[in-house]
Amino acid sequence: MLGGLLVCASALAQAPDLVLVNGKIHTLAAKSTVAEALAIRDGRIVALGNFAKVKPLIARSTRVVDLKGRTVIPGLIDSHMHAIRAGLSFSTEVNWIGARSIPEALARLREAARTRKPGDWLIVAGGWTPEQFAEKRVPTQAEIAEAGGDHPVYIQLFYGWAMLNPKGFEALGIREDKDVPPAGKLDRDASGALTGGISGNTPTITGLFARLPKPSFEEQIEGTKAFFRELNRLALTGVIDPGGFGMAPPDYQALFSIWREGGLTLRVAYTIFAQGRGKELEDYKNLTQLLPMGFGDSWLRFNGIGENVAWGVYNNDAPTEAAREQFYEICRWAASQGMALNIHWHNDSSVWMVLDTFERVNKEIPIGNLRWTLVHLEDAAEDTLKRMKALGVGWAMQDAGYFEGEAQLKAKGEQALRRMPPMNSALYIGVHVGAGTDAHRVMSYNPWVALRWMLDGKTVGGRALRGPEETPTRENALRMYTLGSAWLAFAEKERGSLEVGKLADLAVLSKDYFKVPVEEIGEIESVMTVVGGKVVFER
Ligand SMILES: [Zn+2]
């Protein structure tokens, strides 16, 4: 009798919380199986296979979802997204991501003008390109002034150009070039009249942006939650976050607060961006004394330093000897702490500086298990990939070519573009590749747009640039967006594929990624996203 009760009690304790049946569940396990049903308990996958295998586990307390033949994939993980920064202002900014024409973009501005408090700034802080508009141009100041009504308006294009309406110029007190240091120039037309545009470089634009009002702490929390739900809607369940311009310790407090209350719907592995110029190493030492590598839990984890490791080598093809030596010192320190490191690098022609440094450090302190990562490097040569493989260095690869393909074509030529980025070579050589977007200032955060681009090589303007030799299969593209990114976060044993014992992070898709024509992949969304067994998005 007592024995019977115990069995009952333990059977109840064993009952899954959630069971998915009647689906096409792509596990991305080593053998690439497709299962029909999956059971989740306490945030993890407890059974997977055909319906007969899962059915006996179902109890009255179990929620059973009939997938009606839909496709399920492991939750997507973006290997490089400035998601913490994007979240801070998501509820107070306007975004033009995916807008197909200038009227559509202006309508979003007009809608914000109608709903925001009088006098609030309307800010479009990147994430768009004129190539995405049918008109293939930037809006005029008259257009944004009309749409913005009584509000000051700020429109940013990448990190080289911005446009304000007259109210924006007035609010920031900008009248001439010297009002937009360090390198800003007010655009003028042929007759010398101001057009509303401001041209400059990254310091100009980040300096300008820093003058705009910051969202309140409540707005930051609201924005972060809303942004993470937006990512869940697109089947994302995790990101690796590299900080970004202007990201300092106070900018992490909204995220930490949501994590403390157990409110995250997205797993975040974050790294520290260089703080003070010239005192980078001192800052890292101070900031990480109580923050050892890997500290955190499966929702929020500290993942080392970067993308800006040191200002002197950041997005710089020709750093000084002193900057390279400082970079070496920081790398050596990171290795001594067992710390991961990721670094932005754009051009293969100069990447030897990074690899030489890594090799030099590796001779003193092995870095093979630290998963150091090169970010971007769209034109990586085969030799570079081989050196990376030998060092155990991973590659965070993004769809920069989707927005910038035409510009890359001008700079590097058709032949070079055919193999950019060399995804198949990297996989063949054995480099771990994590896919992502680098959103949201320079790119849309939509992973489906990135996946489509990985498969067809077409820019937002519709030009196909990559050749078939570097175009991955659909499965390999998806693996880069799941297991590949998970590896960069030291999490491939916990997530990135659907296997018994792993965290239940998955998405049920609106269309079959494996079957729809490639053009339709960009429109895929999730109909149900599960993170750690919790349904975080449902349509
Ligand atoms: Zn970045």
Side-chain angles (χ1 to χ4, degrees):
M1 186 64 195
L2 191 62
L5 267 178
L6 279 174
V7 170
C8 271
S10 80
L12 205 62
Q14 298 287 309
D17 310 309
L18 178 65
V19 163
L20 309 179
V21 299
N22 193 20
K24 276 182 278 183
I25 303 170
H26 290 261
T27 64
L28 298 191
K31 280 197 174 142
S32 292
T33 50
V34 182
E36 190 181 28
L38 177 149
I40 299 166
R41 188 180 65 232
D42 294 336
R44 289 183 186 265
I45 298 166
V46 290
L48 189 69
N50 55 24
F51 182 54
K53 188 169 170 187
V54 172
K55 194 180 167 208
L57 306 174
I58 298 174
R60 284 175 72 175
S61 60
T62 305
R63 179 182 173 198
V64 179
V65 175
D66 181 356
L67 298 171
K68 303 201 169 86
R70 285 199 191 274
T71 297
V72 177
I73 57 164
L76 301 175
I77 304 168
D78 192 307
S79 64
H80 185 87
M81 189 198 288
H82 299 270
I84 300 172
R85 185 177 64 191
L88 295 177
S89 55
F90 191 70
S91 68
T92 50
E93 283 181 6
V94 181
N95 86 68
W96 282 356
I97 288 173
R100 283 165 205 204
S101 66
I102 287 180
E104 197 183 331
L106 294 174
R108 294 188 193 179
L109 216 50
R110 211 170 284 122
E111 172 62 16
R114 205 175 57 74
T115 52
R116 301 279 162 84
K117 286 200 292 297
D120 274 4
W121 277 86
L122 305 184
I123 298 169
V124 179
W128 65 282
T129 159
E131 293 292 332
Q132 81 194 48
F133 296 145
E135 298 85 353
K136 308 280 176 206
R137 62 169 176 87
V138 299
T140 64
Q141 192 190 37
E143 287 169 333
I144 65 161
E146 187 278 321
D150 280 340
H151 299 264
V153 178
Y154 171 90
I155 310 285
Q156 177 181 330
L157 177 61
F158 298 106
Y159 280 103
W161 188 81
M163 177 175 266
L164 309 183
N165 65 351
K167 281 200 171 3
F169 276 96
E170 200 184 299
L172 296 185
I174 298 172
R175 278 174 216 92
E176 42 191 320
D177 292 353
K178 74 166 177 46
D179 299 328
V180 278
K185 288 223 172 331
L186 306 189
D187 295 349
R188 291 174 186 276
D189 65 16
S191 72
L194 295 174
T195 63
I198 299 173
S199 298
N201 55 19
T202 304
T204 315
I205 302 301
T206 50
L208 193 57
F209 185 80
R211 291 157 71 178
L212 303 175
K214 281 207 163 193
S216 69
F217 191 65
E218 283 66 34
E219 288 168 334
Q220 293 180 4
I221 290 197
E222 190 192 323
T224 302
K225 286 182 175 171
F227 184 56
F228 287 5
R229 295 274 179 196
E230 166 68 359
L231 299 181
N232 296 150
R233 182 182 71 79
L234 295 167
L236 282 156
T237 60
V239 292
I240 300 177
D241 185 290
F245 284 110
M247 287 294 285
D251 301 307
Y252 289 76
Q253 302 312 312
L255 175 76
F256 292 166
S257 157
I258 299 168
W259 171 74
R260 273 201 313 277
E261 8 166 284
L264 288 180
T265 64
L266 187 82
R267 302 187 193 278
V268 180
Y270 67 101
T271 58
I272 302 178
F273 193 89
Q275 299 291 308
R277 189 183 284 269
K279 56 193 264 299
E280 292 90 337
L281 183 52
E282 193 187 328
D283 286 339
Y284 292 136
K285 284 180 177 169
N286 287 333
L287 288 167
T288 61
Q289 274 191 78
L290 292 174
L291 193 57
M293 176 63 203
F295 192 75
D297 63 12
S298 69
W299 288 100
L300 182 68
R301 199 178 289 287
F302 173 55
N303 204 44
I305 62 173
E307 63 185 31
N308 177 1
V309 174
W311 287 98
V313 294
Y314 184 51
N315 294 335
N316 182 359
D317 283 316
T320 63
E321 199 59 47
R324 285 172 53 195
E325 196 57 23
Q326 183 213 19
F327 176 57
Y328 157 75
E329 292 294 340
I330 295 171
C331 289
R332 195 179 181 284
W333 171 81
S336 76
Q337 301 298 303
M339 201 164 285
L341 172 160
N342 73 91
I343 178 168
H344 250 223
W345 207 270
H346 286 285
N347 294 307
D348 190 75
S349 57
S350 57
V351 77
W352 57 269
M353 285 182 241
V354 179
L355 294 171
D356 280 5
T357 305
F358 286 5
E359 282 162 3
R360 181 177 164 199
V361 171
N362 189 49
K363 282 195 190 112
E364 301 167 63
I365 308 167
I367 63 164
N369 296 322
L370 302 183
R371 305 191 183 186
W372 288 7
T373 305
L374 282 164
V375 183
H376 303 315
L377 204 66
E378 280 98 21
D379 65 343
E382 212 171 292
D383 263 358
T384 301
L385 294 168
K386 286 179 180 157
R387 288 176 77 184
M388 288 165 67
K389 165 73 180 165
L391 286 164
V393 167
W395 184 27
M397 188 279 310
Q398 299 84 32
D399 60 333
Y402 178 63
F403 272 8
E404 292 168 23
E406 281 87 358
Q408 290 172 339
L409 184 65
K410 258 186 227 150
K412 300 189 191 256
E414 218 165 290
Q415 252 343 82
L417 265 288
R418 280 186 68 81
R419 56 174 302 284
M420 277 173 62
M423 291 179 270
N424 285 346
S425 294
L427 295 181
Y428 180 75
I429 289 165
V431 173
H432 288 271
V433 186
T437 58
D438 201 14
H440 77 309
R441 296 254 193 271
V442 300
M443 182 51 64
S444 153
Y445 47 75
N446 190 331
W448 298 103
V449 170
L451 279 161
R452 185 186 64 202
W453 171 87
M454 287 164 76
L455 297 169
D456 72 8
K458 277 191 189 161
T459 65
V460 65
R463 184 147 185 189
L465 295 168
R466 193 182 321 109
E469 56 279 17
E470 293 296 354
T471 297
T473 62
R474 290 191 193 200
E475 180 176 323
N476 278 342
L478 191 59
R479 281 180 179 275
M480 290 183 237
Y481 235 113
T482 51
L483 278 166
S485 295
W487 187 88
L488 298 177
F490 294 82
E492 80 283 1
K493 290 201 173 75
E494 285 284 85
R495 48 200 175 105
S497 62
L498 301 175
E499 297 175 74
V500 170
K502 277 192 149 182
L503 292 167
D505 293 4
L506 56 86
V508 182
L509 304 182
S510 61
K511 292 183 180 186
D512 186 347
Y513 164 74
F514 290 94
K515 290 270 161 62
V516 291
V518 74
E519 312 82 74
E520 288 179 32
I521 289 176
E523 280 127 54
I524 295 178
E525 296 172 357
S526 174
V527 296
M528 182 167 106
T529 307
V530 175
V531 187
K534 272 194 294 189
V535 177
V536 294
F537 173 80
E538 197 163 15
R539 199 169 70 188

